[in-house]
Each structure stands twice: as structure tokens, then as C-alpha cells.
């Protein structure tokens, strides 16, 4: 069968099954279990109405339970058991083993660095781009260009930037842009990604490059939502462009800035692909998610791997809650 | 001190002329109201004085200094915006302090000025609130307070009452009038489309229409001696009736044969050369009086609709052709007149005569042809 037809058929069956589920489940509830007739018609209608929401929510609850809640519980269980002893309960042994590994603390430190640098720089650049592109004719073209990296997968971006940092021996022409420029200026080529500590920042730039577009689009919309009259009032009050930006505009979009910041923070806490594709955690660039992957799938140590996963989840959760809270507050 | 002189000021966006030939002298202590139909450019003119819109022609002087290219903050003006434009993230106090802090004024003086403005506007209890916790009228007072603290030469108000409900609008209007009385030296320019605001607040009204000034004068001048048909119909509600006719006798008084049978005598003098000229006579609905059958009348017609407002009754006569219906306003309640034929006359002093849309009273002034309709 033609793959396109196959796709359409799949869609038709999937959507049909969904519609069928809601329709027939509803019918059975109303006509068979609690029919709206007979001596108990009123009571039956009330009961059916109590059950109906759960009936409709069931598919979503089931899917979320299977693919979200169950894995969390299972990961927690695995993190408390040991592979060598055939899965026996070992309490917090995996955690204490992990804590004693310098590689874990390196990942922890790097994650915190990412956490500070990437959201701050993405939001700052995004805000700058949003403000600067707002009033110029080719602003939309500039915005599209800045937004484009958003469409690239993290691995793809990692590969692109690996080429930027590419190093060739001194006597061959440099194909990495950075080294080509350096060579052009008379410098010696550097192996950028192997310079400890600073290589973290070379990796962060990739994510900043991607997330700036996201921040810009959201903040640009927020900036446009500022009442023009407040800006004019500030002009009449004698504020210069910097004062208008920092004292009138930025405070008015502060809730949006917080949401953008925390959303990027969540992405950063889970960062894996870029590090995996570019350094795989070597040269002191390890991060938590890549550490987890190493333990879980390379070393096959699901105990410590799951413990790392739980740590990541514990770090993400409070920020996630705060983010949702802020987003809701802004919607009101 | 704060004299404002506009000389041949114009505004165009590309090839579209929004305003042209605006000449205006405003002296210190005046409260000038710009009034006109929507789209007449009154807000644009105010924003040009504020410096928020560029002046594309002519000259604007404040206190004898040309300020065409002076930034808004250095013109000595303060503006109250239609939507108040309070800074939502600042408290009332911070809103009022903002301009002074920008100007790096000493803190003691800032506090003193905010204190004074709060006293004048009774904002004391609200100083630490955010704008969102204020009612519309309170926000408007804060917006005015923000102007007062700057102690400007000229206050600019851009339709400040249009976002308030009817009752609050009257109250705030009176507050603004009192504020003006408390600061007799301040010059104020006030934009509105509401002629009641214009009539009650203004020391002089500037009627803008069709991109130019239709007439400048005190409220009663505009009401009693409109320069042209536009102003005649714009000021007063319901609008002045215009009836076509022909001059049949000239002199200190003018006699006009009104189309449709009546004869009008106007106190407006005319020249011998005016004999036979086609004119429009203008009579305000409230100036009509009912006359008995057989007596001389200006207009007679069948009453189509009556509206009894209590102290007066509005009579809408059957329209003739496509014209607006003639409207009469009689004292008292006259519901029974519906469907009746009524004959109306008026005091010659209240009969205006327009030739070529211009009042014969102002025959020496250049004709201003205004194509916009007043209502």
C-alpha cells in the first residue's frame, strides 16, 4: 500500500476509534447502565453526570499514567535496588555511591553553570533582539533569522557547532570558522572543546543560540502589548530611550520575562543532546542527563542511572511548579 | 509667561495633509478647548504641541521660543492622556515622582511637590497603591497629579474624561474647572469631542474641522454668533436648523423669503447688493416660538415625532426631500402636537443668515469652506 494511504488510514482509524470510544461509552452510560427512565430516572441522570467526566478523562489519565507516572515510580524503585544483587532493595546505597563519584559532582557543577548562564544570556539576547527589531523595516527578516535555530534539533545544532569549533593540524587549512579566523589573525589553532572549564561555555553558546529565538518571539509579543501611551507619557516626563526601556518597558513585561526564564531553565536542566553530540561529557563537560545516560545505557548500572534520573527530576520539579504558577498568573 | 503661538502650523503624513494653516495665539492663564468631529485632527494638533508628533510646517512658539525641534520634556508641557497612561508597575507616589527623579531633582523637593499635588487632588490615602487598585476617577486624578508635580507652563489634556462613566465625567469636569481656578496662571489646552465639556470649561473654544480652524471664540460667541454653518450646527444640541431662502429686503434688518412659504426677518444687517441672494437662515430649535394661525411665520410643517424631555418638548417635523428634519424645542410638555401642523416664528435677533456657508456677520473674513458635516 502507498505509505501516504497507509498514513491516512492510520489517522482515520485512530480518530475514528477515539470518536467511537466517546460516543459509545456515553451511549452505554446513558442508555444501559443509568437509563433516564423508569422510577429512578432523576437519580440515574445525576449518577450518569457524576460518572461522565471520568469516562471522558479515562483515556488521557490512562496514557499519562502508563507513560509518565509509572516510569517515575519504576525509576524510583530501580534507584533503590542493586543490579549485582539481582535487584535486591539496597536503600540509598546507589545515591551514596553516586555522591562519592567526582564525575557526578562535576556534572552537578556544570549543570549549575548552565543553569545560570544559558537562561540569563538567552533572555537578555532575546529581549535585546525583540526591542531592536521592533521598529525597523527589516525587523521581521531579522527575527526570522534569529528564530530559525529553534527549528533545528539539539543534535543537529551540536553537529553544526562542532564544525564551528573544528580543529585541523597547524599545517592544513582550517575548516572550523573559529580556528580559520584565529589562523587568519596569525594565531595557532586551538582544540576548543578540550579546554577544561571554558569548553562548558562553548557548549552553552549552542543552546543560547537556539533559545534566543524562543525568548525573542515571546518577549517581542509582550513588548507590543505595552500600552503606547505609557511610553509617550515617559517621553513627556523626559525619560531617555534607556530609561524608557529599563524603567517603563522591562518592568511591565517582568512576568513574561520570568516565564521565559524559567521555561529555558527547564530545558537547561534536562540538557543532554548537545553535550552528548559534541563532547560526550569528556574534558570536564559532563552534565547530569549525560551522566545518567552513561550509567544507564553504557555501564548498564540502572541503579545509579535511575538515582541520577531522580535527582534531575527533583531539581526540575520546583521550577516547573513555579513556571506553571507564573504562566497561569499571567494569563489571568 | 506661557504664551503659545502657532503660526501657519501644518501636519502631513506623506502626501496626506491632516492639518493646514493653523494660526492661534494662546495667552497665559487661558483654558483653550479644541473641539471638533472625530478625525478633524484635534488630538494630532495637541500631540504636535506636546512634541509627540513632528510639526511638518509652520512654527510653534512657547514663551517666545520656537520649539518645533525641542524634545517634549524641554518644552515645559505636561500631558494627561485619554487612557491615563499611568505606569502600572509603580505606585501612585512613584508615578508622580518619576519625571522629577528623571530630572534629578533633590529628594526633599520631590517629596514636597508630591505632597502638594496629593493635597490638591486628595490623593493622600492612595499614594502607596498601584494603579490597578484605583477606580477610573482616581486614576484620572493621579494622571493630573503627575502633571501638576512638574509645574509645567502648559497643561495638555487629551480627551481626559472619555473613559469615565457619565456621572463621574460630570464630577471630574467640575474638578478640572476648580483645579484651573486654583491655578489661575497655568495655561491649559484641552481636547474633547464633547461640546458640553467644551462649553463649560473653556475660556475660548477652537473648533477644528476639515484640517483647519473653523472658528475661535468664547463659548457664548460660538453659540450666539457662529461664523459659518459648520460651527452653527456643531455647537448646540439639537443642531441649529438651516432653511434655504432668498433675500427680499436689505438694510439694518434683512428679510428672507423662506422656501416653503414662510418669511423670516433677521437682525443681521445686509447690503443693497445682497438683494436676491440665495441664503440659508439658521435658527436654533430652542429659539423657535409657536405662532397662531394667520400670524407671520418662518416655518410651518406637520409634526412627525415628539420627544417630551420634561422641561422641554422636541418636535421633529416631517422632512422635506432628503434634508434633515427641522427640529423645534418648546418649553413645557406638548405631546398633543404630534400629527398637527405647527407654525413657528423666531425673534429677529436669533435668526442667523449664511451666504455660501459663511455668516453675513463675518462677511469681511475669508470664506472657510468646510466639507465635513457637523454631526
Amino acid at each position: 500500500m502507498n505509505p501516504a494511504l497507509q498514513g491516512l488510514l492510520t489517522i482515520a482509524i485512530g480518530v475514528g476509534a477515539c470518536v467511537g470510544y466517546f460516543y459509545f461509552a456515553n451511549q452505554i452510560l446513558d442508555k444501559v447502565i443509568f437509563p433516564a427512565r423508569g422510577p429512578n430516572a432523576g437519580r440515574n441522570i445525576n449518577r450518569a453526570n457524576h460518572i461522565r467526566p471520568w469516562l471522558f478523562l479515562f483515556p488521557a489519565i490512562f496514557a499519562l499514567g502508563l507513560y509518565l507516572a509509572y516510569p517515575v515510580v519504576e525509576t524510583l524503585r530501580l534507584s533503590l535496588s542493586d543490579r549485582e544483587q539481582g535487584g535486591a532493595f539496597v536503600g540509598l546505597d546507589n545515591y551514596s555511591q553516586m555522591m562519592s563519584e567526582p564525575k557526578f559532582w562535576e556534572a552537578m557543577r556544570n549543570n549549575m553553570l548552565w543553569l545560570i548562564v544559558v537562561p540569563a544570556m538567552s533572555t537578555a539576547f532575546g529581549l535585546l533582539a525583540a526591542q531592536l527589531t521592533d521598529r525597523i523595516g527589516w525587523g521581521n527578516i531579522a527575527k526570522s533569522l534569529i528564530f530559525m535555530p529553534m527549528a533545528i534539533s539539539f543534535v543537529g545544532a551540536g553537529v553544526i557547532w562542532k564544525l564551528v569549533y573544528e580543529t585541523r593540524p597547524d599545517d592544513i587549512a582550517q575548516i572550523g570558522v573559529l580556528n580559520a579566523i584565529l589562523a587568519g589573525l596569525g594565531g595557532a589553532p586551538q582544540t576548543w572543546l578540550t579546554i577544561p572549564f571554558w569548553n562548558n561555555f562553548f557548549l552553552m553558546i549552542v543552546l543560547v543560540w537556539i533559545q534566543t529565538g524562543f525568548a525573542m518571539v515571546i518577549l517581542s509579543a509582550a513588548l507590543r502589548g505595552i500600552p503606547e501611551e505609557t511610553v509617550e507619557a515617559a517621553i513627556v516626563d523626559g525619560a531617555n530611550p534607556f530609561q524608557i526601556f529599563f524603567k517603563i518597558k522591562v518592568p511591565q513585561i517582568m512576568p513574561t520575562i520570568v516565564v521565559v526564564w524559567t521555561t529555558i531553565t527547564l530545558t537547561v536542566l534536562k540538557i543532554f543532546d548537545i553535550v552528548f553530540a559534541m563532547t560526550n561529557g569528556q574534558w570536564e563537560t559532563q552534565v547530569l542527563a549525560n551522566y545518567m545516560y552513561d550509567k544507564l545505557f553504557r555501564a548498564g548500572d540502572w541503579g545509579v542511572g535511575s538515582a541520577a534520573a531522580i535527582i534531575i527530576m527533583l531539581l526540575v520539579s520546583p521550577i516547573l511548579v513555579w513556571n506553571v504558577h507564573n504562566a497561569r498568573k499571567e494569563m489571568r | 509667561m506661557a504664551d503659545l503661538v502657532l503660526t501657519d502650523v501644518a501636519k502631513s503624513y506623506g502626501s496626506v495633509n491632516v492639518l493646514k494653516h493653523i494660526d492661534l495665539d494662546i495667552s497665559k492663564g487661558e483654558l483653550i478647548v479644541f473641539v471638533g468631529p472625530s478625525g478633524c485632527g484635534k488630538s494630532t494638533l495637541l500631540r504636535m504641541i506636546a512634541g509627540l508628533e513632528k510639526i511638518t510646517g509652520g512654527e510653534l512658539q512657547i514663551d517666545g521660543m520656537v520649539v518645533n525641534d525641542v524634545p517634549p520634556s524641554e518644552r515645559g508641557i505636561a500631558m494627561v492622556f485619554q487612557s491615563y497612561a499611568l505606569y502600572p508597575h509603580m505606585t501612585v507616589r512613584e508615578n508622580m515622582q518619576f519625571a522629577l527623579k528623571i530630572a534629578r531633582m533633590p529628594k526633599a523637593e520631590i517629596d514636597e511637590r508630591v505632597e502638594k499635588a496629593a493635597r490638591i487632588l486628595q490623593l493622600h490615602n492612595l499614594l502607596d497603591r498601584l494603579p490597578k487598585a484605583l477606580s477610573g476617577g482616581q486614576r484620572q486624578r493621579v494622571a493630573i497629579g503627575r502633571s501638576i508635580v512638574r509645574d509645567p507652563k502648559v497643561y495638555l489634556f487629551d480627551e481626559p474624561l472619555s473613559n469615565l462613566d457619565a456621572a463621574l465625567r460630570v464630577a471630574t469636569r467640575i474638578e478640572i474647572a476648580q483645579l484651573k481656578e486654583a491655578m489661575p496662571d497655568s495655561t491649559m489646552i484641552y481636547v474633547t469631542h464633547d461640546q458640553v465639556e467644551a462649553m463649560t470649561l473653556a475660556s475660548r473654544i477652537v473648533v477644528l474641522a476639515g484640517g483647519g480652524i473653523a472658528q475661535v471664540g468664547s463659548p457664548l460667541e460660538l453659540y450666539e454668533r457662529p461664523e459659518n454653518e459648520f460651527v452653527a450646527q456643531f455647537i448646540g444640541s439639537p443642531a441649529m436648523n438651516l432653511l434655504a431662502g432668498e433675500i427680499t429686503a436689505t438694510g439694518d434688518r434683512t428679510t428672507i423669503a423662506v422656501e416653503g412659504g414662510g418669511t423670516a426677518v433677521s437682525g443681521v444687517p445686509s447690503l443693497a447688493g445682497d438683494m436676491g441672494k440665495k441664503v440659508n437662515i439658521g435658527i436654533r430649535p430652542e429659539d423657535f416660538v409657536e405662532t397662531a394661525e394667520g400670524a407671520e411665520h418662518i416655518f410651518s410643517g406637520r409634526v412627525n415625532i415628539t420627544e417630551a424631555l420634561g422641561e422641554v418638548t422636541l418636535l421633529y417635523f416631517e422632512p422635506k426631500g432628503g434634508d434633515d428634519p427641522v427640529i423645534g424645542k418648546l418649553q413645557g410638555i406638548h405631546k398633543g402636537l404630534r400629527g398637527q401642523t405647527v407654525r413657528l416664528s423666531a425673534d429677529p435677533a436669533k435668526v442667523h443668515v449664511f451666504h455660501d456657508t459663511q455668516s453675513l456677520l463675518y462677511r469681511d473674513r475669508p470664506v472657510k469652506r468646510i466639507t465635513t458635516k457637523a454631526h
Side-chain angles (χ1 to χ4, degrees):
Chain A
M1 202 198 281
N2 187 317
L5 271 178
Q6 225 169 346
L8 283 175
L9 196 67
T10 312
I11 291 173
I13 292 173
V15 173
C18 284
V19 172
Y21 167 78
F22 288 116
Y23 180 77
F24 288 111
N26 201 29
Q27 285 292 316
I28 290 169
L29 182 70
D30 279 342
K31 298 275 150 64
V32 182
I33 306 175
F34 294 116
R37 59 191 131 74
N40 294 325
R43 193 199 68 185
N44 280 355
I45 289 173
N46 280 340
R47 289 192 175 171
N49 283 344
H50 273 117
I51 291 172
R52 204 182 321 276
W54 296 106
L55 198 65
F56 287 2
L57 278 174
F58 171 74
I61 291 177
F62 177 75
L64 285 176
L66 184 64
Y67 293 108
L68 271 177
Y70 166 69
V72 170
V73 175
E74 179 64 8
T75 305
L76 187 63
R77 189 186 70 79
L78 288 175
S79 76
L80 301 173
S81 60
D82 189 69
R83 180 184 59 161
E84 318 258 283
Q85 300 168 38
F89 179 79
V90 291
L92 296 174
D93 280 4
N94 288 321
Y95 289 89
S96 55
Q97 187 197 330
M98 187 170 71
M99 303 277 177
S100 65
E101 278 185 32
K103 204 65 184 165
F104 169 77
W105 289 109
E106 177 195 314
M108 205 61 169
R109 181 205 68 180
N110 287 344
N111 251 58
M112 292 305 136
L113 271 181
W114 280 75
L115 199 63
I116 295 162
V117 174
V118 177
M121 287 180 71
S122 302
T123 311
F125 284 140
L127 190 57
L128 192 70
Q131 170 70 13
L132 293 182
T133 56
D134 200 31
R135 291 287 163 81
I136 48 175
W138 49 279
N140 279 335
I141 298 172
K143 271 189 197 165
S144 310
L145 289 174
I146 295 170
F147 187 69
M148 238 178 245
M150 276 290 282
I152 302 172
S153 73
F154 285 6
V155 174
V159 172
I160 292 171
W161 279 84
K162 223 180 158 188
L163 285 171
V164 171
Y165 297 133
E166 183 73 33
T167 310
R168 290 290 159 96
D170 217 352
D171 45 350
I172 315 178
Q174 296 295 328
I175 65 161
V177 174
L178 217 50
N179 274 326
I181 293 172
L182 201 61
L185 296 173
Q190 300 286 321
T191 49
W192 302 102
L193 294 176
T194 63
I195 307 169
F197 190 67
W198 298 110
N199 51 7
N200 279 307
F201 293 93
F202 298 139
L203 298 186
M204 290 178 206
I205 288 170
V206 183
L207 192 56
V208 171
W209 179 67
I210 294 173
Q211 294 291 334
T212 295
F214 163 74
M216 176 197 66
V217 169
I218 309 277
L219 295 174
S220 172
L223 280 176
R224 295 219 169 141
I226 294 176
E228 186 61 27
E229 283 196 339
T230 59
V231 174
E232 289 182 340
I235 294 173
V236 172
D237 276 348
N240 65 35
F242 284 99
Q243 288 165 325
I244 289 173
F245 184 69
F246 286 110
K247 294 194 168 158
I248 303 297
K249 286 186 167 181
V250 169
Q252 288 196 59
I253 61 166
M254 202 35 108
T256 312
I257 293 178
V258 169
V259 169
V260 167
W261 189 295
T262 48
T263 305
I264 297 175
T265 301
L266 292 177
T267 312
V268 169
L269 273 173
K270 296 180 294 181
I271 189 63
F272 166 73
D273 329 41
I274 292 172
V275 177
F276 180 77
M278 292 180 74
T279 63
N280 197 13
Q282 302 173 85
W283 309 295
E284 295 177 27
T285 58
Q286 189 64 294
V287 290
L288 283 175
N290 198 53
Y291 174 82
M292 175 194 82
Y293 180 86
D294 266 356
K295 289 288 173 194
L296 210 52
F297 299 109
R298 287 225 182 81
D301 187 349
W302 32 259
V304 174
S306 299
I310 292 292
I311 293 290
I312 296 173
M313 199 187 77
L314 288 179
L315 289 174
V316 171
S317 299
I319 301 174
L320 183 71
V321 170
W322 194 45
N323 188 29
V324 171
H325 171 77
N326 277 316
R328 284 206 180 143
K329 199 168 66 181
E330 203 192 353
M331 245 184 278
R332 246 178 261 137
Chain B
M1 274 297 279
D3 286 336
L4 210 89
V5 182
L6 286 82
T7 316
D8 200 22
V9 165
K11 174 75 188 175
S12 57
Y13 295 101
S15 60
V16 184
N17 291 315
V18 184
L19 289 166
K20 49 192 184 294
H21 309 311
I22 304 289
D23 290 303
L24 202 57
D25 278 15
I26 299 170
S27 22
K28 183 188 179 186
E30 276 196 292
L31 198 165
I32 296 286
V33 173
F34 292 170
V35 69
S38 51
C40 69
K42 53 190 188 293
S43 280
T44 308
L45 185 56
L46 190 80
R47 292 166 58 84
M48 284 158 76
I49 295 171
L52 293 170
E53 297 274 353
K54 207 168 164 42
I55 297 169
T56 52
E59 204 177 80
L60 168 67
Q61 287 181 22
I62 298 178
D63 275 353
M65 195 176 88
V66 178
V67 294
N68 282 34
D69 298 314
V70 174
S73 54
E74 289 162 31
R75 292 186 180 193
I77 51 108
M79 187 153 170
V80 176
F81 291 84
Q82 183 172 357
S83 63
Y84 325 129
L86 300 180
Y87 309 126
H89 54 289
M90 298 185 195
T91 62
V92 168
R93 187 192 306 275
E94 286 163 345
N95 262 285
M96 296 206 279
Q97 288 172 337
F98 185 72
L100 308 181
K101 280 185 177 168
I102 294 275
R104 296 177 187 284
M105 192 177 275
K107 191 170 181 319
E109 198 180 344
I110 294 179
D111 289 345
E112 188 187 320
R113 287 192 180 201
V114 170
E115 191 65 20
K116 193 177 149 208
R119 200 170 54 238
I120 296 173
L121 294 162
Q122 293 153 27
L123 290 170
H124 271 290
N125 309 331
L126 310 175
L127 280 177
D128 294 314
R129 287 207 204 161
L130 286 174
K132 66 180 173 196
L134 302 179
S135 70
Q138 290 169 334
R139 284 179 202 181
Q140 190 53 269
R141 291 220 298 275
V142 176
I144 294 170
R146 203 167 58 176
S147 305
I148 290 179
V149 292
R150 297 185 51 204
D151 194 18
K153 298 176 196 161
V154 185
Y155 288 85
L156 306 175
F157 293 88
D158 189 4
E159 307 215 21
L161 306 186
S162 60
N163 283 1
L164 302 177
D165 64 46
L168 205 51
R169 198 177 300 177
V170 174
T172 314
R173 194 176 76 209
I174 291 166
E175 272 179 30
I176 291 178
Q178 286 168 342
L179 187 70
K180 177 71 187 82
E181 250 169 55
M183 303 188 294
D185 288 345
S186 60
T187 308
M188 292 186 179
I189 303 178
Y190 188 106
V191 165
T192 180
H193 60 264
D194 183 325
Q195 51 157 305
V196 178
E197 276 171 36
M199 298 294 280
T200 51
L201 286 173
S203 57
R204 279 195 301 158
I205 295 178
V206 177
V207 182
L208 290 160
I213 294 178
Q215 187 171 357
V216 183
S218 73
L220 289 183
E221 242 167 49
L222 298 192
Y223 179 81
E224 288 169 351
R225 277 175 286 136
E227 198 175 316
N228 45 53
E229 288 179 2
F230 179 86
V231 175
Q233 293 208 297
F234 190 79
I235 304 289
S237 175
M240 182 188 280
N241 298 295
L242 290 178
L243 302 168
E246 194 181 314
I247 296 180
T248 55
T250 59
D252 283 348
R253 292 183 153 206
T254 309
T255 309
I256 301 108
V258 180
E259 266 177 39
T263 307
V265 177
S266 167
V268 177
S270 53
L271 308 173
D274 291 335
M275 194 70 180
K277 271 186 180 166
K278 297 274 188 200
V279 292
N280 279 336
I281 61 164
I283 300 168
R284 295 197 181 276
E286 54 270 34
D287 292 336
F288 272 133
V289 286
E290 205 181 343
T291 56
E293 213 171 324
E296 190 70 17
H297 69 274
I298 294 174
F299 172 82
S300 79
R302 218 170 71 89
V303 177
N304 214 2
I305 299 166
T306 61
E307 286 179 345
L309 302 178
E311 87 266 34
V312 293
T313 304
L314 294 180
L315 309 178
Y316 292 82
F317 290 88
E318 267 182 358
K320 290 175 179 162
D323 294 345
D324 293 330
V326 169
I327 302 172
K329 194 194 244 178
L330 300 182
Q331 293 295 317
I333 297 166
H334 303 274
K335 279 196 144 172
L337 288 178
R338 183 164 180 194
Q340 306 276 317
T341 298
V342 174
R343 301 150 65 83
L344 297 172
S345 156
D347 179 349
K350 309 278 191 183
V351 177
H352 308 260
V353 184
F354 301 99
H355 175 61
D356 210 6
T357 75
Q358 175 115 346
S359 171
L360 286 192
L361 278 174
Y362 296 92
R363 57 169 73 234
D364 49 326
R365 297 203 184 163
V367 178
K368 288 170 189 156
R369 250 178 258 280
I370 294 155
T371 45
T372 342
K373 242 179 141 358
H375 287 285

